[in-house]
Amino acid sequence: MAADTRGLTRTKRGRAAVRIHGLDRSFENRKVLDGLELSIREGEFVALLGRSGSGKSTLLRALAGLDHLVDGKGVLSAPDNVSVVFQDARLLPWKRVLDNVLLGLPGPDARERGRAALAEVGLADREEAWPVELSGGEQQRVSLARSLVREPELLLADEPFGALDALTRIRMHELLRKLCERHRPAVLLVTHDVDEAIELADRVAVLEEGRITADVAVGIEGPRRHGTPEYAALREGLLTRLGVEAQDRPILEEAHA
Amino acid sequence: MTSVSTQPLGRLTRPARRGASRSTARRRLAPGRPVPYGKALGPLLLLAVWSAGSAAGLIEPRSLSAPWTVVTTAGDLIEDGRLQSHLAASAQRALLGLLFGTAAGLLLALLSGLSRLGEGVIDGPVQIKRAIPSLALVPLLILWLGIGETMKVVTVSLVVLVPVYIHTHNGLRSIDNRYVELSETVRLSRWQFVRHVVLPGTLPGFLLGMRFAVTATWLALVVVEQVNATSGLGYMMELARTYGQTEIIIVGLVVYGLLGLASDGLVRLTERKVLSWRRTLAG
Ligand SMILES: Nc1ncnc2c1ncn2[C@@H]1O[C@H](COP(=O)(O)OP(=O)(O)OP(=O)(O)O)[C@@H](O)[C@H]1O
Ligand SMILES: [Mg+2]
């Protein structure tokens, strides 16, 4: 594992929720994942960055067990109880909001738990609505509720906020962080957005040419704000890893200085 | 390219014009509010032309009886109970045929839509069956089943089966793969998957198939009842033909029409009820 510490602390060792060793995945003989190594501790929040087409979704789908037809090998251990949040909310249009949350949920108290989950994402009063009647952000909150009501040990999210506007996205970050603090699943969040990664994650990994080429702990104590030197340094390092040269970037740091 | 061609441009540069708000209003693409009783307009117009033609003596009564003759004939037929008994016989055949045909079409569509093996075995024969007009099978069915009720119900079933199968199968196959993935991640069992995803997702296709099926039912009925029957609307009309009773034939046609409209309306009403989660142009 090539670690890019850039003056930041390495991740501490703990019980692993996910362990990936030598994972290969290829499409038509083109290797997308090539001997990938990654582990995620219980309750740890990992953000995965990478350029478009670098194989982030491929990795996530492998973890979710959704890649039946893809060639590949490798060792991959993940908990039984995995939940996925997709980029689109993926609600069944013919089921009301609460029934979407309850989809496939066993147990006599399922309804109660579903209601509680909807209340947690702030949609207690919309349980009888049809999905088409919700805004994009509300739909994504329902999909979060559907994932969390299953009390997953591992939450996989593939650009869950990619389709939302900037304001809604900020609120969703807040919500996701609170929910994760309360439920403590291990999280793998795929994102394009370096700031999203730094704000939410305990660790940020960069996927490049089929491997994790950077894996840094976000060691910032307290609120993570633009303009603090740690934040700027981390952001700088990650952007460089992603191949965005300094002169191409908007000058965010100076505006705060 | 003279000064004339600059006129539209000139208009565009005056956004503050009073009438400007009208030109910026969005063009409405949906057809707009329905006219009250709009659907009755066409039929009423036809009826008016028919009445006027008959009253003026322009329409030969032996070709087309006057509307009032048809009404009184219908009254007579109802009074002596003939219309009801023929209607009952036809309705029974239609309902049985519809029932068996729908059940078979639905079952075959589910089997062939949910498993590759099922598709290999079922889809081919149904497509072949589809290429042969069902009514062309009537002679063969008469040889096999005789001319009794069984033959008639089987014919109607075969006619119903095809659209129900085609549209249900198509609906099933076009269920978004993303929902299949979702079902896998929330770990639905096969039966839960069918119940929560496949059946509701297929319902719009199935109901469309039903609309074609009910129309086809009455069509098939006309044919089998005129081929060989001793009861039913088709028989009543066929009999009237041999006696040259145009008015009875027209009563039969009107009843067929009403039945077709009513059954189509029923399916559409069901559609609106069970597909209320959809927001479409129909509103
Ligand atoms: N089903 C497939 N068939 C063929 N090639 C595929 C398939 N799925 C993904 N690929 C290829 O694998 C590579 C990685 O795709 P992947 O979707 O994992 O990228 P990604 O990192 O998620 O990109 P993005 O950030 O744009 O979502 C891409 O080059 C893509 O073309
Ligand atoms: Mg992707």
Side-chain angles (χ1 to χ4, degrees), chain A residues 97-99 101 113-128 141-142 145:
Chain A
V97 164
L98 181 61
D99 293 324
V101 172
R113 286 163 54 204
R115 287 216 173 87
L118 273 177
E120 267 192 300
V121 298
L123 288 172
D125 52 337
R126 304 307 302 276
E127 52 184 62
E128 288 302 310
R141 270 144 72 193
V142 175

Side-chain angles (χ1 to χ4, degrees), chain B:
Chain B
M1 295 291 163
T2 55
S3 58
V4 181
S5 65
T6 64
Q7 190 104 35
L9 272 178
R11 204 184 294 164
L12 273 177
T13 56
R14 273 181 283 154
R17 244 165 35 115
R18 290 186 108 210
S21 66
R22 197 194 303 156
S23 64
T24 56
R26 287 284 174 281
R27 184 186 301 276
R28 187 221 288 278
L29 293 176
R33 235 178 252 282
V35 182
Y37 303 107
K39 283 183 183 161
L41 277 180
L44 282 179
L45 197 69
L46 266 180
L47 192 62
V49 171
W50 179 15
S51 308
S54 301
L58 292 175
I59 299 176
E60 170 77 34
R62 274 187 55 84
S63 317
L64 183 61
S65 324
W68 39 91
T69 324
V70 173
V71 172
T72 46
T73 309
D76 295 343
L77 284 173
I78 291 172
E79 213 162 298
D80 65 15
R82 270 200 285 163
L83 188 61
Q84 291 93 312
S85 73
H86 286 310
L87 186 61
S90 291
Q92 192 191 345
R93 286 168 196 147
L95 284 178
L96 284 177
L98 205 56
L99 195 72
F100 293 134
T102 306
L106 193 59
L107 191 71
L108 290 177
L110 285 178
L111 285 178
S112 97
L114 287 176
S115 85
R116 291 285 172 197
L117 182 66
E119 180 165 42
V121 175
I122 294 167
D123 200 53
V126 178
Q127 297 296 342
I128 293 171
K129 160 75 190 60
R130 184 188 169 199
I132 305 171
S134 296
L135 298 176
L137 291 174
V138 169
L140 193 61
L141 289 174
I142 292 179
L143 278 182
W144 287 353
L145 303 169
I147 54 167
E149 286 304 292
T150 318
M151 180 275 288
K152 298 186 181 69
V153 172
V154 168
T155 308
V156 174
S157 304
L158 284 176
V159 167
V160 165
L161 183 150
V162 174
V164 170
Y165 173 87
I166 299 284
H167 292 278
T168 309
H169 185 250
N170 186 38
L172 210 151
R173 273 289 142 103
S174 49
I175 289 181
D176 202 324
N177 188 47
R178 297 173 316 134
Y179 298 142
V180 182
E181 278 185 10
L182 170 69
S183 308
E184 286 177 20
T185 63
V186 300
R187 298 205 267 165
L188 296 187
S189 66
R190 188 146 193 98
W191 164 238
Q192 284 176 321
F193 173 59
V194 169
R195 189 174 137 214
H196 295 296
V197 180
V198 175
L199 291 180
T202 311
L203 202 57
F206 167 72
L207 287 171
L208 182 64
M210 282 305 289
R211 279 183 69 182
F212 285 106
V214 290
T215 318
T217 301
W218 299 111
L219 182 77
L221 216 57
V222 179
V223 175
V224 290
E225 288 183 343
Q226 291 184 356
V227 167
N228 226 317
T230 51
S231 64
L233 288 173
Y235 167 74
M236 183 185 86
M237 289 162 71
E238 185 57 21
L239 198 66
R241 183 189 61 81
T242 53
Y243 295 113
Q245 296 164 309
T246 320
E247 64 280 5
I248 294 187
I249 296 180
I250 299 200
V251 170
L253 288 178
V254 170
V255 173
Y256 270 133
L258 291 178
L259 284 174
L261 277 181
S263 39
D264 190 54
L266 208 65
V267 179
R268 277 205 273 182
L269 192 72
T270 318
E271 243 175 13
R272 208 171 314 151
K273 277 262 151 60
V274 299
L275 299 184
S276 56
W277 49 269
R278 292 209 298 192
R279 294 279 178 286
T280 58
L281 268 187

Side-chain angles (χ1 to χ4, degrees), chain A residues 102-114:
Chain A
L102 296 178
L103 185 65
L105 193 67
D109 60 339
R111 276 197 104 68
E112 287 318 305
R113 286 163 54 204

Side-chain angles (χ1 to χ4, degrees), chain A residues 26-28 30-33 50-61 70 87 158-159 190-192 207:
Chain A
S26 47
F27 295 105
E28 286 125 26
R30 197 167 52 85
K31 275 204 167 158
V32 171
L33 300 183
R51 294 186 218 192
S52 183
S54 56
K56 305 182 296 293
S57 299
T58 307
L59 171 59
L60 198 110
R61 293 168 59 81
V70 183
Q87 175 166 7
D158 194 349
E159 298 183 44
V190 166
T191 174
H192 273 127
L207 178 59

Side-chain angles (χ1 to χ4, degrees), chain A residues 26-47:
Chain A
S26 47
F27 295 105
E28 286 125 26
N29 295 325
R30 197 167 52 85
K31 275 204 167 158
V32 171
L33 300 183
D34 187 3
L36 184 135
E37 310 274 331
L38 179 71
S39 50
I40 303 174
R41 282 177 295 129
E42 283 180 351
E44 190 180 25
F45 196 131
V46 176

